Each structure stands twice: as C-alpha cells, then as structure tokens.
Amino acid sequence: MDEVFKALADATRRQLLDRLYCENGQTLHALCEHLDMTRQAVAKHLAVLEAANLVVVVRSGREKLHYLNPVPIHEIYERWIGKYQQHHLAALSALKTSLEENRDHDDDDDG
Amino acid sequence: MDEVFKALADATRRQLLDRLYCENGQTLHALCEHLDMTRQAVAKHLAVLEAANLVVVVRSGREKLHYLNPVPIHEIYERWIGKYQQHHLAALSALKTSLEENRDHDDDDDG
DNA sequence: TTGACATGCAACCAAAAGGTTGCATGATGG
DNA sequence: CCATCATGCAACCTTTTGGTTGCATGTCAA
C-alpha cells in the first residue's frame, strides 16, 4: 500500500504508467525515448513501479516487456480514496440538503 | 496535482488525514497525541498537507483548527485514478467476455 | 500582569531519493 | 564468430525529505 503511494508520488513514474496505458508491453529502451534522462535512471523508476506491482515484466529474448497492472490502483481506490470520495459526496449532499432547507423557508438568511 | 500525490506518499500524513476524517477540526496539539514524533515534525507534515490543499486551517484564538478537504482526492480520482479504474474494469470485462466465448463453444482452446 | 499553553520559525542532521558514469552480461543477426 | 543492441549492476554524487533541538511569539486565564 505504502509502496504504491510512494511509487505514484513521482511525476516521471506516473508518466511511465501513462505511456504504458497508451501502449502496453514496451521495452525499457522504448520507454526511454520520451524521457530526458539516462536509461539507468528510467530503469530505476521501472524497478520502483515493479516493486509496487504497478508494472509487470515479461522477458522475451534480450528484451524485457513492461505491462501496466492497474490492480494496485484499484485497491488504493477501494481501500483509501473511496472513503474520502464518500466524504466528499456526503459534503455535497449536506450542502444540497441545506440549500433545500433554505428553499423550504427561504426567508431564512444565513448572511 | 503533483503536490497532492507527494503529500499522500507519506504514511504519517495519510494517518493525519485519517484522524481528521474521524474527527474534523483538530488542533496541532491534539493531532500530536497519537504520533511518536515531535510537535514540530507534525507541524511540517500538516504544512505539506495544507500546501496540497488537503487540509484547510482556521485560526481560533491561540488555536489553529485543521479541517480535512477531500476535494483534491476527488480530483485525483477524476483526473487520474478513474482512467486506470476503467482500464481495470475493461480488463475484467474482457476476461468475462473471453470466458463466455469459451463457454459458448468450449472446445475452442486458446492455449 | 504573568505564567502556562499553543503555535511559529530557523538551524541543523541523517537518511533516502533521483540522477549520473562506467563497466558487465547476455541475446541477435550477418 | 563478433559487432551490436538491450539490459543489469555498482559506485558515486547532489538534493530532498523527515526528523531533531532551541528559542520566539501570541493568547488565555487567574
């Protein structure tokens, strides 16, 4: 869980996930094309993503194909984001109720 | 966006949000109670959360009350998580379809 | 007023993160 | 075979991060 959050904290790594989202199963070399840093730096980022299980790799000869795994993102949503999502919706709902209350007796001025 | 992801990357900060989720509008002092670090360290974490707009503060005399703001979390979901969520669901859907295809003519082996 | 309390600010420090260079290994293809 | 290409590994460096201590400021209440 913590590893996933930490992995997502870096813009470069989110960019890598975005690229895999567009085109799944890319090599390290291909993923380097769009990034302004050394291959080794990108490899480190991919290692972090792999450790967080956000990326799964498959060896194929001398190439290593990287695949996006959206499951941890889903889990983060289920076990963390969703809770606050509900909070957010509850707040909106409360606001709506409050507005309706005010409409019911709309002489009520909250100044 | 990046600030929000970075803010969420630290376990202590997520813990702080969780505490505010349970009981909104707490002072720095109150939030320190459950954490094994100095008040100053906690204040720094709260500053990060505030910079990311995940926490909103209201001064009240010598106290500073911290309130959870779920909006950035919602935005992250809308602008980032949701996309991968759909990907996840699409994958599940594809799997389901595939299973159904196999059931329809279950001599069909895709080995 | 004054002491206690809640917070703010700054210097400092160790560890982790993000990046680099250099070299090693293993597959591919002519 | 052997040059080339894709990757792996390790040492090293700088900046950021997470934490500390020490002291300053402002507010409440007796």
Side-chain angles (χ1 to χ4, degrees):
Chain A
M1 185 81 156
D2 189 58
E3 276 186 319
V4 180
F5 272 114
K6 282 215 161 55
L8 293 178
D10 186 90
T12 302
R13 287 194 289 267
R14 290 199 303 277
Q15 216 173 314
L16 284 168
L17 292 179
D18 278 340
R19 294 221 69 82
L20 289 180
Y21 181 86
C22 293
E23 187 184 338
N24 214 0
Q26 295 190 58
T27 67
L28 167 60
H29 203 77
L31 289 166
C32 283
E33 294 294 302
H34 313 275
L35 294 172
D36 190 24
M37 63 182 69
T38 61
R39 173 182 55 81
Q40 286 86 341
V42 178
K44 280 194 188 180
H45 282 302
L46 287 171
V48 172
L49 291 170
E50 201 181 328
N53 200 32
L54 283 160
V55 158
V56 174
V57 299
V58 175
R59 297 238 40 149
S60 151
R62 65 177 165 182
E63 291 186 333
K64 189 176 171 183
L65 301 176
H66 298 76
Y67 292 88
L68 172 63
N69 178 23
V71 173
I73 293 181
H74 183 71
E75 282 173 2
I76 275 194
Y77 173 76
E78 293 250 302
R79 294 163 60 182
W80 216 84
I81 307 273
K83 170 170 130 185
Y84 292 91
Q85 199 84 328
Q86 284 161 22
H87 203 91
H88 181 64
L89 293 176
L92 282 180
S93 171
L95 173 63
K96 191 181 158 210
T97 303
S98 154
L99 289 174
E100 283 170 356
E101 293 275 316
N102 280 350
R103 195 186 47 189
D104 282 355
H105 39 90
D106 63 359
D107 52 338
D108 194 3
D109 185 7
D110 68 347
Chain B
M1 186 82 155
D2 189 58
E3 276 186 316
V4 181
F5 272 113
K6 283 213 159 58
L8 293 179
D10 186 90
T12 303
R13 288 194 286 268
R14 290 198 303 277
Q15 217 174 315
L16 284 168
L17 293 180
D18 278 339
R19 294 223 67 83
L20 290 179
Y21 181 86
C22 293
E23 187 183 340
N24 214 358
Q26 294 190 57
T27 66
L28 167 60
H29 203 77
L31 289 166
C32 282
E33 294 294 303
H34 312 275
L35 293 172
D36 190 24
M37 62 183 70
T38 61
R39 174 181 54 81
Q40 286 87 339
V42 177
K44 279 195 188 178
H45 283 302
L46 287 171
V48 172
L49 291 171
E50 202 182 327
N53 200 31
L54 283 160
V55 158
V56 174
V57 299
V58 175
R59 297 241 35 154
S60 151
R62 66 178 164 181
E63 291 187 333
K64 190 176 172 183
L65 299 177
H66 298 76
Y67 292 88
L68 172 63
N69 178 24
V71 173
I73 293 181
H74 183 72
E75 283 173 4
I76 276 194
Y77 174 75
E78 294 251 300
R79 295 163 59 183
W80 215 85
I81 306 275
K83 168 170 133 184
Y84 292 91
Q85 198 84 329
Q86 283 159 25
H87 202 91
H88 181 64
L89 293 176
L92 282 181
S93 172
L95 173 64
K96 191 181 158 210
T97 304
S98 154
L99 290 173
E100 283 170 357
E101 293 276 316
N102 279 350
R103 195 186 47 190
D104 282 356
H105 38 89
D106 63 358
D107 52 337
D108 190 6
D109 185 9
D110 71 343

